[in-house]
Amino acid sequence: WDCGMNQDVFGKELARYKLERAIEEADTSKLLYDNNKLRAANNRAYYSIYYAITAILCLEPIAFKRHKDTLAYFNKNYVHTGKFPKEMGRAISKAAKIRHASDYDEFYVASREEAERQISTAGQLIGLVDEYLKDE
């Protein structure tokens, strides 16, 4: 389902659905972390972040095929404008890099501290997005 379609009718409901999906992925990330599956925990934490961002974008008539375009749009229109903290923009960029390394670099070694940071970033963003959606 494309968030850019019928945004007047479905935007808020779809945004809430995406946020629920973000929460589910954050919970999955914690389970993986607790079971020392750190690469997978990084992956699910990133997807939690990604779904939280797409929840915001469901309020607009816009959608992207590539993650990097979604993240760039969010940074330009939500972080750089002050709607979300600049530190969050940096943390999101870091999470994307770590997810890529976790998924594609066979020599990448995930650390517990790094996975913890990704999970924390996901949780913080979920809270910010939840507040944003309540205000919209």
Short mmCIF file of all heavy atoms in Angstrom, two decimals, residues 67-126:
data_model
loop_
_atom_site.label_atom_id
_atom_site.label_comp_id
_atom_site.label_asym_id
_atom_site.label_seq_id
_atom_site.Cartn_x
_atom_site.Cartn_y
_atom_site.Cartn_z
N HIS A 67 14.75 3.45 0.15
CA HIS A 67 14.90 3.91 1.53
C HIS A 67 15.70 5.20 1.61
O HIS A 67 15.34 6.10 2.37
CB HIS A 67 15.58 2.84 2.38
CG HIS A 67 14.69 1.71 2.74
ND1 HIS A 67 14.72 1.11 3.97
CD2 HIS A 67 13.72 1.06 2.04
CE1 HIS A 67 13.82 0.14 4.01
NE2 HIS A 67 13.22 0.09 2.84
N LYS A 68 16.78 5.28 0.84
CA LYS A 68 17.62 6.47 0.96
C LYS A 68 16.87 7.73 0.55
O LYS A 68 17.09 8.80 1.12
CB LYS A 68 18.93 6.31 0.19
CG LYS A 68 18.84 6.36 -1.30
CD LYS A 68 20.22 6.21 -1.91
CE LYS A 68 20.20 6.53 -3.38
NZ LYS A 68 21.56 6.60 -3.91
N ASP A 69 15.94 7.62 -0.38
CA ASP A 69 15.13 8.78 -0.77
C ASP A 69 14.15 9.15 0.35
O ASP A 69 13.92 10.33 0.61
CB ASP A 69 14.37 8.48 -2.06
CG ASP A 69 15.31 8.28 -3.25
OD1 ASP A 69 16.43 8.82 -3.22
OD2 ASP A 69 14.91 7.57 -4.19
N THR A 70 13.58 8.15 1.00
CA THR A 70 12.68 8.38 2.12
C THR A 70 13.42 9.10 3.24
O THR A 70 12.93 10.10 3.79
CB THR A 70 12.10 7.05 2.64
OG1 THR A 70 11.43 6.39 1.57
CG2 THR A 70 11.16 7.26 3.80
N LEU A 71 14.62 8.60 3.59
CA LEU A 71 15.40 9.20 4.67
C LEU A 71 15.83 10.62 4.31
O LEU A 71 15.77 11.53 5.15
CB LEU A 71 16.62 8.34 4.99
CG LEU A 71 16.34 6.91 5.45
CD1 LEU A 71 17.64 6.17 5.74
CD2 LEU A 71 15.41 6.86 6.64
N ALA A 72 16.24 10.82 3.07
CA ALA A 72 16.68 12.16 2.64
C ALA A 72 15.52 13.15 2.71
O ALA A 72 15.69 14.29 3.18
CB ALA A 72 17.25 12.10 1.22
N TYR A 73 14.35 12.74 2.27
CA TYR A 73 13.17 13.62 2.32
C TYR A 73 12.82 13.96 3.77
O TYR A 73 12.53 15.12 4.09
CB TYR A 73 11.99 12.95 1.62
CG TYR A 73 10.77 13.82 1.57
CD1 TYR A 73 10.58 14.73 0.53
CD2 TYR A 73 9.80 13.77 2.57
CE1 TYR A 73 9.46 15.54 0.49
CE2 TYR A 73 8.68 14.58 2.54
CZ TYR A 73 8.52 15.47 1.50
OH TYR A 73 7.41 16.28 1.47
N PHE A 74 12.84 12.96 4.63
CA PHE A 74 12.54 13.19 6.04
C PHE A 74 13.54 14.17 6.64
O PHE A 74 13.15 15.11 7.33
CB PHE A 74 12.54 11.86 6.80
CG PHE A 74 12.26 12.03 8.27
CD1 PHE A 74 10.97 12.23 8.73
CD2 PHE A 74 13.29 12.00 9.19
CE1 PHE A 74 10.70 12.39 10.09
CE2 PHE A 74 13.04 12.16 10.55
CZ PHE A 74 11.75 12.36 11.00
N ASN A 75 14.82 13.96 6.37
CA ASN A 75 15.84 14.86 6.91
C ASN A 75 15.64 16.29 6.40
O ASN A 75 15.70 17.24 7.18
CB ASN A 75 17.25 14.37 6.58
CG ASN A 75 17.72 13.34 7.56
OD1 ASN A 75 17.41 13.38 8.74
ND2 ASN A 75 18.47 12.37 7.07
N LYS A 76 15.39 16.43 5.11
CA LYS A 76 15.23 17.76 4.53
C LYS A 76 13.98 18.47 5.05
O LYS A 76 14.03 19.67 5.35
CB LYS A 76 15.16 17.65 3.00
CG LYS A 76 14.98 18.98 2.31
CD LYS A 76 14.88 18.81 0.80
CE LYS A 76 14.62 20.15 0.15
NZ LYS A 76 14.27 20.00 -1.26
N ASN A 77 12.87 17.76 5.13
CA ASN A 77 11.59 18.40 5.42
C ASN A 77 11.14 18.33 6.88
O ASN A 77 10.22 19.05 7.26
CB ASN A 77 10.51 17.80 4.53
CG ASN A 77 10.74 18.18 3.08
OD1 ASN A 77 10.48 19.29 2.67
ND2 ASN A 77 11.29 17.25 2.31
N TYR A 78 11.80 17.49 7.67
CA TYR A 78 11.37 17.35 9.06
C TYR A 78 12.50 17.61 10.06
O TYR A 78 12.25 18.15 11.13
CB TYR A 78 10.76 15.97 9.29
CG TYR A 78 9.43 15.83 8.59
CD1 TYR A 78 9.36 15.39 7.27
CD2 TYR A 78 8.25 16.18 9.23
CE1 TYR A 78 8.14 15.31 6.61
CE2 TYR A 78 7.03 16.10 8.58
CZ TYR A 78 6.98 15.66 7.27
OH TYR A 78 5.78 15.59 6.62
N VAL A 79 13.72 17.21 9.73
CA VAL A 79 14.84 17.45 10.64
C VAL A 79 15.41 18.85 10.42
O VAL A 79 15.49 19.64 11.36
CB VAL A 79 15.93 16.37 10.49
CG1 VAL A 79 17.15 16.71 11.34
CG2 VAL A 79 15.37 15.00 10.89
N HIS A 80 15.73 19.17 9.19
CA HIS A 80 16.34 20.48 8.90
C HIS A 80 15.39 21.64 9.16
O HIS A 80 15.83 22.77 9.37
CB HIS A 80 16.90 20.54 7.48
CG HIS A 80 18.06 19.62 7.27
ND1 HIS A 80 19.22 19.68 8.01
CD2 HIS A 80 18.23 18.59 6.40
CE1 HIS A 80 20.05 18.73 7.62
NE2 HIS A 80 19.47 18.05 6.64
N THR A 81 14.10 21.37 9.17
CA THR A 81 13.12 22.43 9.46
C THR A 81 12.84 22.56 10.95
O THR A 81 12.07 23.42 11.36
CB THR A 81 11.78 22.14 8.73
OG1 THR A 81 11.28 20.89 9.18
CG2 THR A 81 11.96 22.15 7.22
N GLY A 82 13.41 21.66 11.77
CA GLY A 82 13.25 21.74 13.21
C GLY A 82 12.04 21.01 13.76
O GLY A 82 11.79 21.06 14.97
N LYS A 83 11.29 20.30 12.91
CA LYS A 83 10.14 19.54 13.41
C LYS A 83 10.59 18.34 14.25
O LYS A 83 9.88 17.89 15.13
CB LYS A 83 9.28 19.07 12.25
CG LYS A 83 8.60 20.19 11.50
CD LYS A 83 7.83 19.68 10.30
CE LYS A 83 7.27 20.85 9.50
NZ LYS A 83 6.66 20.40 8.25
N PHE A 84 11.78 17.83 13.93
CA PHE A 84 12.41 16.75 14.69
C PHE A 84 13.84 17.19 15.00
O PHE A 84 14.45 17.92 14.23
CB PHE A 84 12.40 15.45 13.89
CG PHE A 84 11.05 14.79 13.85
CD1 PHE A 84 10.08 15.22 12.96
CD2 PHE A 84 10.75 13.76 14.72
CE1 PHE A 84 8.82 14.65 12.94
CE2 PHE A 84 9.49 13.17 14.70
CZ PHE A 84 8.53 13.62 13.81
N PRO A 85 14.39 16.74 16.13
CA PRO A 85 15.73 17.18 16.55
C PRO A 85 16.83 16.76 15.57
O PRO A 85 16.79 15.67 15.01
CB PRO A 85 15.94 16.50 17.91
CG PRO A 85 14.65 15.89 18.29
CD PRO A 85 13.78 15.83 17.08
N LYS A 86 17.82 17.65 15.43
CA LYS A 86 18.96 17.36 14.54
C LYS A 86 19.69 16.08 14.97
O LYS A 86 20.15 15.32 14.13
CB LYS A 86 19.91 18.54 14.50
CG LYS A 86 19.30 19.76 13.86
CD LYS A 86 20.31 20.52 13.04
CE LYS A 86 19.75 21.79 12.45
NZ LYS A 86 18.64 21.62 11.55
N GLU A 87 19.77 15.86 16.29
CA GLU A 87 20.45 14.65 16.78
C GLU A 87 19.74 13.40 16.26
O GLU A 87 20.38 12.38 16.02
CB GLU A 87 20.47 14.59 18.31
CG GLU A 87 20.96 15.80 19.03
CD GLU A 87 19.89 16.89 19.19
OE1 GLU A 87 18.81 16.63 19.74
OE2 GLU A 87 20.17 18.01 18.73
N MET A 88 18.42 13.48 16.12
CA MET A 88 17.66 12.34 15.62
C MET A 88 18.02 12.08 14.16
O MET A 88 18.18 10.93 13.75
CB MET A 88 16.15 12.58 15.78
CG MET A 88 15.30 11.39 15.40
SD MET A 88 15.73 9.81 16.21
CE MET A 88 15.44 10.20 17.93
N GLY A 89 18.20 13.13 13.39
CA GLY A 89 18.61 12.97 12.00
C GLY A 89 19.94 12.26 11.89
O GLY A 89 20.12 11.35 11.06
N ARG A 90 20.88 12.64 12.76
CA ARG A 90 22.20 11.99 12.75
C ARG A 90 22.08 10.53 13.19
O ARG A 90 22.72 9.65 12.60
CB ARG A 90 23.16 12.75 13.66
CG ARG A 90 23.64 14.07 13.06
CD ARG A 90 24.77 14.70 13.86
NE ARG A 90 24.30 15.30 15.09
CZ ARG A 90 23.80 16.53 15.20
NH1 ARG A 90 23.70 17.29 14.14
NH2 ARG A 90 23.41 16.99 16.37
N ALA A 91 21.26 10.27 14.19
CA ALA A 91 21.09 8.90 14.69
C ALA A 91 20.44 8.01 13.63
O ALA A 91 20.80 6.83 13.49
CB ALA A 91 20.27 8.90 15.97
N ILE A 92 19.50 8.57 12.87
CA ILE A 92 18.84 7.81 11.81
C ILE A 92 19.86 7.46 10.71
O ILE A 92 19.89 6.32 10.22
CB ILE A 92 17.65 8.60 11.23
CG1 ILE A 92 16.53 8.67 12.27
CG2 ILE A 92 17.17 7.99 9.91
CD1 ILE A 92 15.45 9.69 11.94
N SER A 93 20.69 8.41 10.34
CA SER A 93 21.73 8.14 9.33
C SER A 93 22.67 7.05 9.80
O SER A 93 23.05 6.16 9.03
CB SER A 93 22.51 9.42 9.02
OG SER A 93 21.68 10.36 8.41
N LYS A 94 23.06 7.11 11.07
CA LYS A 94 23.95 6.10 11.64
C LYS A 94 23.27 4.73 11.63
O LYS A 94 23.88 3.72 11.28
CB LYS A 94 24.32 6.50 13.08
CG LYS A 94 25.19 5.55 13.81
CD LYS A 94 26.63 5.70 13.40
CE LYS A 94 27.51 4.87 14.33
NZ LYS A 94 28.80 4.60 13.76
N ALA A 95 21.99 4.69 11.98
CA ALA A 95 21.25 3.43 11.99
C ALA A 95 21.20 2.80 10.60
O ALA A 95 21.32 1.58 10.46
CB ALA A 95 19.84 3.64 12.54
N ALA A 96 21.02 3.64 9.58
CA ALA A 96 20.99 3.13 8.20
C ALA A 96 22.34 2.51 7.82
O ALA A 96 22.38 1.44 7.20
CB ALA A 96 20.61 4.24 7.23
N LYS A 97 23.42 3.16 8.21
CA LYS A 97 24.76 2.63 7.91
C LYS A 97 25.01 1.32 8.65
O LYS A 97 25.56 0.37 8.08
CB LYS A 97 25.83 3.65 8.29
CG LYS A 97 25.87 4.84 7.36
CD LYS A 97 26.91 5.85 7.80
CE LYS A 97 26.79 7.09 6.93
NZ LYS A 97 27.35 8.27 7.53
N ILE A 98 24.61 1.27 9.90
CA ILE A 98 24.82 0.06 10.69
C ILE A 98 23.96 -1.09 10.16
O ILE A 98 24.40 -2.23 10.07
CB ILE A 98 24.55 0.33 12.18
CG1 ILE A 98 25.67 1.22 12.72
CG2 ILE A 98 24.42 -0.95 12.98
CD1 ILE A 98 25.44 1.78 14.09
N ARG A 99 22.73 -0.79 9.76
CA ARG A 99 21.88 -1.84 9.18
C ARG A 99 22.51 -2.38 7.91
O ARG A 99 22.55 -3.59 7.68
CB ARG A 99 20.48 -1.26 8.87
CG ARG A 99 19.40 -2.29 8.56
CD ARG A 99 19.38 -2.84 7.17
NE ARG A 99 19.25 -1.81 6.15
CZ ARG A 99 19.03 -2.09 4.88
NH1 ARG A 99 18.88 -3.33 4.47
NH2 ARG A 99 18.97 -1.14 3.99
N HIS A 100 23.03 -1.49 7.09
CA HIS A 100 23.66 -1.93 5.83
C HIS A 100 24.85 -2.83 6.13
O HIS A 100 25.01 -3.90 5.52
CB HIS A 100 24.08 -0.72 5.00
CG HIS A 100 24.43 -1.08 3.61
ND1 HIS A 100 25.71 -1.44 3.23
CD2 HIS A 100 23.67 -1.17 2.48
CE1 HIS A 100 25.73 -1.73 1.95
NE2 HIS A 100 24.50 -1.57 1.47
N ALA A 101 25.69 -2.43 7.08
CA ALA A 101 26.85 -3.25 7.45
C ALA A 101 26.39 -4.59 8.03
O ALA A 101 26.94 -5.64 7.69
CB ALA A 101 27.72 -2.50 8.46
N SER A 102 25.37 -4.55 8.89
CA SER A 102 24.87 -5.78 9.51
C SER A 102 24.34 -6.76 8.47
O SER A 102 24.50 -7.97 8.61
CB SER A 102 23.76 -5.46 10.51
OG SER A 102 24.27 -4.80 11.62
N ASP A 103 23.71 -6.23 7.44
CA ASP A 103 23.08 -7.08 6.43
C ASP A 103 24.04 -7.53 5.33
O ASP A 103 23.89 -8.64 4.81
CB ASP A 103 21.91 -6.35 5.77
CG ASP A 103 20.71 -6.23 6.70
OD1 ASP A 103 20.75 -6.76 7.82
OD2 ASP A 103 19.74 -5.58 6.28
N TYR A 104 25.00 -6.69 4.97
CA TYR A 104 25.78 -6.96 3.76
C TYR A 104 27.27 -7.15 3.94
O TYR A 104 27.93 -7.68 3.06
CB TYR A 104 25.54 -5.85 2.72
CG TYR A 104 24.08 -5.75 2.35
CD1 TYR A 104 23.32 -4.66 2.73
CD2 TYR A 104 23.46 -6.76 1.63
CE1 TYR A 104 21.97 -4.56 2.41
CE2 TYR A 104 22.11 -6.68 1.30
CZ TYR A 104 21.38 -5.58 1.70
OH TYR A 104 20.06 -5.50 1.37
N ASP A 105 27.83 -6.71 5.05
CA ASP A 105 29.27 -6.85 5.28
C ASP A 105 29.52 -8.12 6.09
O ASP A 105 29.26 -8.16 7.29
CB ASP A 105 29.81 -5.62 6.02
CG ASP A 105 31.31 -5.67 6.25
OD1 ASP A 105 31.93 -6.73 5.97
OD2 ASP A 105 31.85 -4.65 6.71
N GLU A 106 30.00 -9.14 5.41
CA GLU A 106 30.15 -10.43 6.09
C GLU A 106 31.20 -10.39 7.19
O GLU A 106 31.23 -11.27 8.05
CB GLU A 106 30.44 -11.55 5.09
CG GLU A 106 31.73 -11.36 4.31
CD GLU A 106 31.86 -12.42 3.23
OE1 GLU A 106 31.28 -12.23 2.15
OE2 GLU A 106 32.57 -13.40 3.49
N PHE A 107 32.06 -9.38 7.20
CA PHE A 107 33.09 -9.27 8.24
C PHE A 107 32.72 -8.27 9.34
O PHE A 107 33.48 -8.05 10.26
CB PHE A 107 34.43 -8.88 7.61
CG PHE A 107 34.91 -9.92 6.63
CD1 PHE A 107 34.94 -9.64 5.28
CD2 PHE A 107 35.30 -11.18 7.06
CE1 PHE A 107 35.35 -10.60 4.37
CE2 PHE A 107 35.72 -12.15 6.17
CZ PHE A 107 35.75 -11.85 4.81
N TYR A 108 31.55 -7.69 9.24
CA TYR A 108 31.09 -6.75 10.25
C TYR A 108 30.78 -7.50 11.55
O TYR A 108 30.12 -8.54 11.54
CB TYR A 108 29.83 -6.03 9.74
CG TYR A 108 29.15 -5.19 10.78
CD1 TYR A 108 29.67 -3.95 11.16
CD2 TYR A 108 28.00 -5.63 11.42
CE1 TYR A 108 29.05 -3.18 12.12
CE2 TYR A 108 27.36 -4.86 12.38
CZ TYR A 108 27.90 -3.64 12.73
OH TYR A 108 27.29 -2.89 13.68
N VAL A 109 31.27 -6.96 12.64
CA VAL A 109 31.00 -7.54 13.95
C VAL A 109 30.13 -6.56 14.73
O VAL A 109 30.57 -5.44 15.04
CB VAL A 109 32.31 -7.82 14.73
CG1 VAL A 109 32.01 -8.37 16.11
CG2 VAL A 109 33.21 -8.78 13.94
N ALA A 110 28.92 -6.95 15.00
CA ALA A 110 27.99 -6.09 15.74
C ALA A 110 28.31 -6.15 17.23
O ALA A 110 28.59 -7.22 17.76
CB ALA A 110 26.55 -6.55 15.50
N SER A 111 28.26 -5.01 17.87
CA SER A 111 28.51 -4.96 19.32
C SER A 111 27.19 -4.76 20.06
O SER A 111 26.23 -4.23 19.51
CB SER A 111 29.47 -3.82 19.66
OG SER A 111 28.83 -2.57 19.51
N ARG A 112 27.17 -5.17 21.31
CA ARG A 112 25.97 -4.98 22.14
C ARG A 112 25.68 -3.49 22.31
O ARG A 112 24.53 -3.07 22.28
CB ARG A 112 26.14 -5.66 23.50
CG ARG A 112 26.10 -7.19 23.37
CD ARG A 112 25.94 -7.89 24.70
NE ARG A 112 24.65 -7.70 25.32
CZ ARG A 112 23.52 -8.31 24.99
NH1 ARG A 112 23.52 -9.17 23.98
NH2 ARG A 112 22.40 -8.08 25.64
N GLU A 113 26.73 -2.69 22.49
CA GLU A 113 26.55 -1.26 22.70
C GLU A 113 25.93 -0.60 21.47
O GLU A 113 25.04 0.23 21.58
CB GLU A 113 27.89 -0.58 23.03
CG GLU A 113 28.52 -1.03 24.31
CD GLU A 113 29.21 -2.39 24.22
OE1 GLU A 113 29.57 -2.85 23.11
OE2 GLU A 113 29.36 -3.03 25.29
N GLU A 114 26.40 -1.00 20.30
CA GLU A 114 25.88 -0.45 19.06
C GLU A 114 24.41 -0.85 18.87
O GLU A 114 23.57 -0.03 18.51
CB GLU A 114 26.72 -0.96 17.90
CG GLU A 114 26.66 -0.10 16.68
CD GLU A 114 27.76 -0.50 15.73
OE1 GLU A 114 27.72 -1.63 15.21
OE2 GLU A 114 28.66 0.33 15.51
N ALA A 115 24.09 -2.11 19.10
CA ALA A 115 22.72 -2.58 18.98
C ALA A 115 21.82 -1.85 19.98
O ALA A 115 20.70 -1.46 19.65
CB ALA A 115 22.65 -4.09 19.18
N GLU A 116 22.32 -1.65 21.19
CA GLU A 116 21.57 -0.89 22.19
C GLU A 116 21.24 0.51 21.70
O GLU A 116 20.12 1.00 21.89
CB GLU A 116 22.39 -0.76 23.48
CG GLU A 116 21.97 -1.66 24.59
CD GLU A 116 22.84 -1.42 25.83
OE1 GLU A 116 22.71 -0.35 26.46
OE2 GLU A 116 23.62 -2.33 26.15
N ARG A 117 22.22 1.16 21.08
CA ARG A 117 22.00 2.51 20.54
C ARG A 117 20.93 2.52 19.46
O ARG A 117 20.10 3.42 19.39
CB ARG A 117 23.30 3.11 20.00
CG ARG A 117 24.16 3.77 21.06
CD ARG A 117 25.26 4.63 20.46
NE ARG A 117 26.13 3.89 19.55
CZ ARG A 117 27.19 3.18 19.93
NH1 ARG A 117 27.53 3.11 21.18
NH2 ARG A 117 27.92 2.57 19.03
N GLN A 118 20.95 1.50 18.60
CA GLN A 118 19.97 1.44 17.52
C GLN A 118 18.57 1.25 18.09
O GLN A 118 17.61 1.88 17.65
CB GLN A 118 20.29 0.30 16.55
CG GLN A 118 21.66 0.37 15.91
CD GLN A 118 22.10 1.76 15.55
OE1 GLN A 118 21.43 2.47 14.81
NE2 GLN A 118 23.22 2.18 16.09
N ILE A 119 18.47 0.38 19.09
CA ILE A 119 17.17 0.14 19.74
C ILE A 119 16.70 1.41 20.45
O ILE A 119 15.52 1.76 20.39
CB ILE A 119 17.28 -1.06 20.70
CG1 ILE A 119 17.51 -2.35 19.88
CG2 ILE A 119 16.03 -1.17 21.58
CD1 ILE A 119 17.93 -3.55 20.72
N SER A 120 17.61 2.10 21.08
CA SER A 120 17.27 3.36 21.76
C SER A 120 16.80 4.41 20.76
O SER A 120 15.81 5.11 21.00
CB SER A 120 18.48 3.87 22.54
OG SER A 120 18.22 5.12 23.11
N THR A 121 17.50 4.53 19.64
CA THR A 121 17.10 5.48 18.59
C THR A 121 15.69 5.16 18.11
O THR A 121 14.86 6.05 17.96
CB THR A 121 18.09 5.44 17.41
OG1 THR A 121 19.38 5.88 17.88
CG2 THR A 121 17.64 6.34 16.27
N ALA A 122 15.42 3.88 17.88
CA ALA A 122 14.09 3.48 17.43
C ALA A 122 13.03 3.89 18.46
O ALA A 122 11.99 4.46 18.10
CB ALA A 122 14.05 1.97 17.17
N GLY A 123 13.29 3.62 19.71
CA GLY A 123 12.33 3.96 20.76
C GLY A 123 12.10 5.46 20.87
O GLY A 123 10.95 5.91 21.01
N GLN A 124 13.16 6.24 20.77
CA GLN A 124 13.04 7.70 20.84
C GLN A 124 12.23 8.22 19.65
O GLN A 124 11.34 9.06 19.82
CB GLN A 124 14.42 8.35 20.85
CG GLN A 124 15.18 8.14 22.13
CD GLN A 124 16.62 8.62 22.00
OE1 GLN A 124 16.94 9.46 21.17
NE2 GLN A 124 17.50 8.07 22.81
N LEU A 125 12.53 7.71 18.47
CA LEU A 125 11.82 8.17 17.28
C LEU A 125 10.34 7.79 17.34
O LEU A 125 9.48 8.60 17.00
CB LEU A 125 12.46 7.64 16.00
CG LEU A 125 11.83 8.15 14.71
CD1 LEU A 125 11.90 9.68 14.61
CD2 LEU A 125 12.48 7.51 13.50
N ILE A 126 10.05 6.60 17.80
CA ILE A 126 8.65 6.18 17.94
C ILE A 126 7.90 7.16 18.84
O ILE A 126 6.79 7.57 18.53
CB ILE A 126 8.56 4.73 18.46
CG1 ILE A 126 8.93 3.75 17.34
CG2 ILE A 126 7.16 4.43 19.01
CD1 ILE A 126 9.14 2.32 17.81
#
